[in-house]
Amino acid sequence: MKANNICAILGNVPRFDGLLPLTENRPLDTLPFDCKYRLIDFPLSSIANANVHSMFMVFNEGETRSLFDHIGGGKEWNLDSVQNSFFIYFHQDFLKQKKEGLPYYASIIDYLEKSEAEYTVFLGSNMLCAIDLRDVLKFHEQKKNQLTVVYKKTDRGTVSLKDYVVDITESETAQNVQLFDEQDKAETFNLCMDIYLVQTKWLIEQLEIGQQNDSPINIQKYLRSKIGEVETSAYEYTGYLANIYDLQSYFKANMDMLEQKNYQSLLYSNQKIYTKLKNEVPTYYSEESKIKNSQCATGCIIEGSLENSLVSRRTSVKKGASIKHAIIMSSATIGENAKVEYAILDKNVTVEAGVTICGTPEFPVIIEKGQTVSKDVLGGIDE
């Protein structure tokens, strides 16, 4: 694929309140995943693997500190080379321009025109997948339609009440899209992954028309509204997918990585996943440590026991401590003889010696960033 054949728009502006308090001071995009990744690593990697040279990112004001810290100059995704570039824009600026009666798509249109790309792809970060955008482009070119939407056949447990499902014909055409109805008794649904590929020239024309007709500011919503209105091809994604929309779906997606099939499908497919590099020492496991079906990132000291858990960088698990079915984010300290089970511990959490933290598979306990836990927490209620 030639370098200027496709450009990208990446945006995740909806608030995912179901992920609070984990998203209190960070966007969903920078939520840690599987010990060393962030959710945004996956769309960025799909973009890099497709040799996309230019990217326009839309985020909310006040949510970009962790984003800038993670992406930096974009070296890991080949965004720092001479021919590549990326731009960050605030969603609130679109809102202000629309309120003032200004052409609120002007910045995106300007970006698209200067990109000189024939095609444009839109992605978010909440649909966790390793999609081959080159294959999507090939499909789009074969179908010769104006719009291509990516979907996944999935069971109802993967679909939230805010998600959309697509009606698809045998000829791989999307007829329409509608909000998921929990009263629908079907067992499987065509989940709209909100990944779209279009001709750039057509998108510019539609945006110019749209801002004159009070169209949605959110590009994701705008492109979704075009499904069925214009000839729309439906590309089926068949790899691993996790739809991240609340604490339970986030917890499950991480736990899925402890199953070899899911781990291989997402992280070791033909789509390489890139993340910010950390030059650290390997994790140290003492002779007393016991590890069962768990993952640890670099720089940890493990003297206790781990079972069905994911432990991020620079975490210390003291002697006698037991961690089961838990997500431990970076720089945590788990004291001697402490017990952590069915829980998510955010960054820089300290669990004092002998303390028990215990949730359930349906409702894991959440310990917020930087907290010191000095008394038992059972089922999310302080004892």
Side-chain angles (χ1 to χ4, degrees):
M1 183 184 298
K2 60 184 180 179
N4 66 342
N5 200 36
I6 184 171
C7 66
I9 300 174
L10 196 158
N12 240 2
V13 295
R15 296 290 302 181
F16 291 85
D17 291 338
L19 282 157
L20 292 171
L22 297 180
T23 53
E24 186 71 46
N25 296 305
R26 62 161 76 93
L28 174 140
D29 306 78
T30 57
L31 269 180
F33 180 78
D34 192 35
C35 301
K36 69 175 184 178
Y37 299 98
R38 303 293 182 104
L39 294 186
I40 198 172
D41 289 337
F42 295 86
L44 286 178
S45 296
S46 293
I47 289 168
N49 290 326
N51 197 25
V52 174
H53 80 296
S54 178
M55 179 171 56
F56 188 97
M57 295 187 282
V58 183
F59 296 101
N60 290 305
E61 286 181 345
E63 293 186 345
T64 54
R65 187 179 68 174
S66 62
L67 183 75
F68 284 124
D69 178 63
H70 183 65
I71 295 180
K75 178 181 178 182
E76 286 78 9
W77 304 275
N78 197 33
L79 294 171
D80 64 338
S81 61
V82 175
Q83 71 272 24
N84 290 4
S85 58
F86 67 98
F87 308 89
I88 294 180
Y89 204 83
F90 291 123
H91 176 65
Q92 283 68 25
D93 286 342
F94 293 124
L95 295 174
K96 293 174 184 175
Q97 289 163 359
K98 184 175 183 180
K99 186 177 181 179
E100 294 172 3
L102 300 174
Y104 49 92
Y105 285 144
S107 58
I108 293 182
I109 292 172
D110 181 62
Y111 161 76
L112 293 172
E113 290 175 339
K114 290 179 179 178
S115 74
E116 299 182 349
E118 185 176 357
Y119 301 98
T120 301
V121 63
F122 175 91
L123 308 91
S125 299
N126 65 302
M127 294 289 177
L128 184 65
C129 63
I131 190 166
D132 187 344
L133 296 178
R134 294 166 296 187
D135 200 42
V136 179
L137 177 58
K138 186 183 299 183
F139 177 84
H140 181 80
E141 291 175 326
Q142 289 173 348
K143 293 297 182 179
K144 295 183 170 63
N145 285 332
Q146 294 158 316
L147 173 65
T148 292
V149 59
V150 178
Y151 75 97
K152 167 81 173 178
K153 288 183 180 177
T154 188
D155 60 69
R156 65 187 307 115
T158 309
V159 188
S160 81
L161 295 177
K162 294 183 178 180
D163 287 325
Y164 286 77
V165 294
V166 189
D167 288 331
I168 299 169
T169 68
E170 293 183 359
S171 61
E172 300 177 305
T173 298
Q175 289 184 313
N176 61 69
V177 62
Q178 56 193 346
L179 193 64
F180 170 66
D181 181 4
E182 64 177 337
Q183 301 302 319
D184 192 327
K185 302 301 182 183
E187 293 298 322
T188 59
F189 297 86
N190 297 321
L191 174 62
C192 177
M193 292 174 59
D194 279 329
I195 298 175
Y196 305 95
L197 197 144
V198 299
Q199 278 87 349
T200 302
K201 182 180 179 181
W202 175 84
L203 179 57
I204 292 172
E205 292 171 352
Q206 293 302 307
L207 292 176
E208 288 175 340
I209 295 171
Q211 64 187 0
Q212 295 174 3
N213 297 323
D214 199 34
S215 294
I217 293 174
N218 189 325
I219 298 294
Q220 174 180 320
K221 290 183 179 180
Y222 185 57
L223 289 173
R224 188 194 300 141
S225 71
K226 294 296 178 181
I227 296 176
E229 181 181 313
V230 300
E231 290 295 322
T232 306
S233 304
Y235 175 91
E236 182 182 2
Y237 172 71
T238 57
Y240 174 86
L241 171 70
N243 180 12
I244 310 292
Y245 56 89
D246 61 10
L247 293 172
Q248 288 74 26
S249 60
Y250 174 72
F251 183 78
K252 182 182 182 302
N254 277 275
M255 292 296 114
D256 279 353
M257 294 300 100
L258 296 175
E259 296 182 21
Q260 187 71 14
K261 179 182 177 181
N262 297 325
Y263 182 77
Q264 292 289 341
S265 177
L266 181 63
L267 296 170
Y268 288 93
S269 67
N270 63 339
Q271 294 295 291
K272 186 174 180 180
I273 305 300
Y274 305 92
T275 190
K276 184 178 180 180
L277 297 176
K278 296 278 189 179
N279 295 318
E280 296 178 321
V281 298
T283 285
Y284 167 77
Y285 300 93
S286 73
E287 293 183 0
E288 296 84 6
S289 65
K290 297 179 181 179
I291 315 298
K292 181 179 179 182
N293 192 38
S294 297
Q295 296 179 26
C296 291
T298 55
C300 299
I301 300 175
I302 310 297
E303 298 174 290
S305 65
L306 304 177
E307 182 177 341
N308 298 322
S309 295
L310 300 139
V311 179
S312 295
R313 297 175 169 117
R314 301 180 300 280
T315 289
S316 176
V317 180
K318 303 294 186 181
K319 293 180 181 179
S322 172
I323 300 176
K324 296 181 180 180
H325 311 287
I327 302 168
I328 312 296
M329 297 186 191
S330 62
S331 302
T333 299
I334 314 300
E336 291 187 3
N337 300 314
K339 178 182 177 182
V340 179
E341 188 168 344
Y342 290 110
I344 302 174
L345 275 57
D346 209 334
K347 297 171 62 176
N348 300 305
V349 165
T350 297
V351 180
E352 294 188 350
V355 169
T356 294
I357 298 174
C358 188
T360 67
E362 295 78 18
F363 299 100
V365 170
I366 311 299
I367 304 298
E368 295 183 46
K369 181 178 179 181
Q371 297 296 307
T372 296
V373 184
S374 57
K375 59 181 180 178
D376 292 352
V377 181
L378 305 178
I381 302 175
D382 292 344
E383 298 292 346

